[in-house]
């Protein structure tokens, strides 16, 4: 019989891993925390994004591109299995720039990445005239954009719902309001997770995909889990007819018609409340890109907490002291969902076709501290 897994964390990262393990024939239980938990999967921007990823970390750029390349297969598979639509579009996207010098600096980074990877890592430089052919509403302050042909976006809430539904269809369990307080490995090697209500859940292997909750639970399994929060804010406008053809890292028009504006970064601890100064800055930049937004009604906004490692890259690690316990942590759970569903289960199983994730282990932080 194949090992039985417990996944701690019912967001996109945990559900993606659970889905892949179920497809590989394992028994899987997902423990999803209570409503008071900080839920990155319910507050994110919804990008399936390659551009700007790993510009100084080629191994991360390569890992991201593998995932982006499998995303259409994942979307089609989830939609066929569940009957839900997750609104994936992969028609390219933009990295806008307000100065020629700034854009040239980014081009130099992409050229380095292509050389380091020895690949055709995709990017095109569009001046303002070329950009306006595709986006007539673009503002005069935008000098151009770097176009990423493989970029796209998805409805993140529909994705999470489809994953949860697919897990149940495949025979997995999702236990909600399951706040894990303690984990221990028993004498027989199996794991016992004790919940806040005193109940326990046992498994052969355990995957910590609990976002910020990993900082508390990781050390119980001999894992450092050096994650911290980074606040990002999002603004949502009224619903409009289609007016933006492709997404960017800061603005996208969602399938329902609203325009989503974001990409702020704040070190605010666990405070996920809106910050007025940041809200104003986000709005000002959005209007500079698309001036018509100045006359568009804003309906709502929110703050959410990203899960960030010391270098911003994912963490994939099996515990050396508690074999069978793993941490899976990243701040790009949407983009990496396909890799987590199709490739990461092989790493957890330690099969011959397991991806090489050594560069994403926690050991890199020890090396950094030693220097």
């Amino acid at each position: 019989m194949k090992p039985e897994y417990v996944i701690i964390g019912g967001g996109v990262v945990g559900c993606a891993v659970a889905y892949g393990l179920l497809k590989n024939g394992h028994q899987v239980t997902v423990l999803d925390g209570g409503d008071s938990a900080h839920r990155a999967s319910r507050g994110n921007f919804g990008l399936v994004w390659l551009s700007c990823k790993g510009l100084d970390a080629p191994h991360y750029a390569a890992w991201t591109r593998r995932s982006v390349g499998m995303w259409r297969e994942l979307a089609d598979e989830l939609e066929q299995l569940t009957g839900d639509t997750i609104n994936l579009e992969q028609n390219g996207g933009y990295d806008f720039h307000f100065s020629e010098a700034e854009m040239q600096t980014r081009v130099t980074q992409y050229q380095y990445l292509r050389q380091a990877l020895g690949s055709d890592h995709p990017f095109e430089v569009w001046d303002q005239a070329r950009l306006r052919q595709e986006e007539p509403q673009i503002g005069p302050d935008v000098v151009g954009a770097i176009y990423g042909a493989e970029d796209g976006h998805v409805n993140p809430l529909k994705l999470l719902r489809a994953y949860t539904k697919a897990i149940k269809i495949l025979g997995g369990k999702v236990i909600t309001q399951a706040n894990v307080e303690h984990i221990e490995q028993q004498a027989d090697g199996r794991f016992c997770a004790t919940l806040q209500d005193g109940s326990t859940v046992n498994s052969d292997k355990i995957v910590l995909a609990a976002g910020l909750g990993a900082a508390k639970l990781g050390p119980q399994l001999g894992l450092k889990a050096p994650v911290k929060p980074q606040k990002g804010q999002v603004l949502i406008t009224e619903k409009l007819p289609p007016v933006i053809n492709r997404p960017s890292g800061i603005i996208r028009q969602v399938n329902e018609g609203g325009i989503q504006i974001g990409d702020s970064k704040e070190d605010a601890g666990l405070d996920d409340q809106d910050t007025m100064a940041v809200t104003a800055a986000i709005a000002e930049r959005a209007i500079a890109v698309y001036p018509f937004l100045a006359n568009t009604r804003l309906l709502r906004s929110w703050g959410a907490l990203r899960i960030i490692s010391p270098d911003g890259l994912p963490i994939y690690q099996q515990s050396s002291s508690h074999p069978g316990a793993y941490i899976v942590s990243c701040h790009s759970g949407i983009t990496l969902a396909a890799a987590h569903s199709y490739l990461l289960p092989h790493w957890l199983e330690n099969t011959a076709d397991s991806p090489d994730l050594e560069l994403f282990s926690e050991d890199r932080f020890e090396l950094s501290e030693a220097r």
Side-chain angles (χ1 to χ4, degrees):
M1 181 178 293
K2 289 191 173 184
E4 176 186 11
Y5 286 82
V6 158
I7 312 293
I8 300 178
V12 168
V13 173
C15 286
V17 174
Y19 175 73
L21 288 170
L22 284 162
K23 287 185 60 185
N24 286 6
H26 297 277
Q27 298 179 55
V28 180
T29 298
V30 177
L31 302 179
D32 188 22
D35 290 336
S36 62
H38 295 284
R39 295 175 177 271
S41 294
R42 301 186 186 185
N44 70 81
F45 208 63
L47 296 178
V48 178
W49 211 251
L50 176 60
S51 291
C52 304
K53 296 291 182 70
L55 292 177
D56 57 355
H59 62 291
Y60 179 43
W63 178 240
T64 300
R65 195 177 189 192
R66 289 183 73 180
S67 189
V68 167
M70 296 184 291
W71 239 103
R72 174 50 62 186
E73 178 184 355
L74 174 65
D76 290 346
E77 190 175 273
L78 285 173
E79 290 181 347
Q80 183 175 10
L81 179 62
T82 66
D84 292 347
T85 301
I86 62 175
N87 303 107
L88 173 68
E89 294 183 8
Q90 286 183 294
N91 301 319
Y94 309 117
D95 174 19
F96 295 122
H97 291 274
F98 293 97
S99 78
E100 295 287 354
E102 178 188 81
M103 190 157 67
Q104 184 54 49
T105 297
R106 186 58 54 85
V107 169
T108 300
Q109 291 177 304
Y110 274 109
Q111 290 170 337
Y112 158 75
L113 195 57
R114 278 185 173 177
Q115 182 179 15
L117 292 171
S119 74
D120 61 345
H121 201 79
F123 77 96
E124 298 176 21
V125 182
W126 289 8
D127 61 16
Q128 188 184 86
R130 175 69 180 90
L131 182 58
R132 278 208 171 132
Q133 291 177 6
E134 301 291 327
E135 303 292 342
Q137 299 286 348
I138 210 74
D141 292 338
V142 180
V143 301
I146 296 178
Y147 168 69
E150 297 179 15
D151 294 330
H153 57 153
V154 73
N155 187 312
L157 296 181
K158 289 185 177 180
L159 170 64
L160 182 58
R161 182 175 68 182
Y163 261 137
T164 302
K165 189 173 179 179
I167 288 168
K168 295 176 181 178
I169 290 172
L170 294 175
K173 298 178 182 178
V174 179
I175 302 176
T176 59
Q177 303 296 319
N179 296 302
V180 178
E181 290 290 321
H182 183 72
I183 310 169
E184 63 179 358
Q185 189 167 27
Q186 300 170 324
D188 61 359
R190 284 172 56 83
F191 293 90
C192 178
T194 302
L195 308 188
Q196 194 173 51
D197 63 5
S199 62
T200 58
V201 181
N202 298 288
S203 63
D204 299 311
K205 296 190 176 185
I206 196 159
V207 179
L208 190 56
L212 295 173
K216 171 187 173 182
L217 297 174
Q220 298 178 17
L221 297 168
L223 296 162
K224 294 183 177 62
V227 295
K228 66 177 184 178
Q230 181 190 75
K231 183 164 71 173
Q233 292 183 209
V234 171
L235 315 179
I236 303 292
T237 73
E238 62 184 314
K239 292 180 173 62
L240 299 172
V243 65
I244 296 176
N245 293 321
R246 293 187 181 93
S248 72
I250 59 174
I251 303 170
R252 73 183 186 108
Q253 187 165 24
V254 303
N255 58 286
E256 295 96 340
I259 293 176
Q260 187 169 345
I261 303 164
D263 191 34
S264 65
K265 297 176 177 66
E266 293 178 76
D267 184 4
L270 296 177
D271 175 18
D272 61 2
Q273 299 299 306
D274 289 6
T275 305
M276 189 56 64
V278 174
T279 299
I282 292 172
E284 182 179 13
R285 182 180 57 187
I287 292 169
V289 176
Y290 291 111
F292 75 88
L293 289 172
N295 298 313
T296 303
R297 287 187 301 168
L298 187 67
L299 297 185
R300 62 188 182 276
S301 65
W302 65 78
L305 300 179
R306 302 180 183 93
I307 297 91
I308 301 292
S309 70
D311 61 7
L313 304 186
I315 300 173
Y316 306 114
Q317 177 81 52
Q318 178 176 196
S319 172
S320 58
S321 60
H322 296 66
Y326 304 82
I327 181 172
V328 176
S329 180
C330 71
H331 79 277
S332 294
I334 303 294
T335 296
L336 294 176
H340 290 166
S341 286
Y342 292 139
L343 302 178
L344 208 61
H346 299 303
W347 174 74
L348 294 169
E349 297 166 325
N350 195 28
T351 57
D353 50 358
S354 170
D356 182 4
L357 300 178
E358 181 62 29
L359 290 175
F360 295 109
S361 77
E362 293 183 337
D363 295 342
R364 69 186 191 266
F365 304 125
E366 295 179 359
L367 293 173
S368 177
E369 291 171 359
R371 294 194 189 102

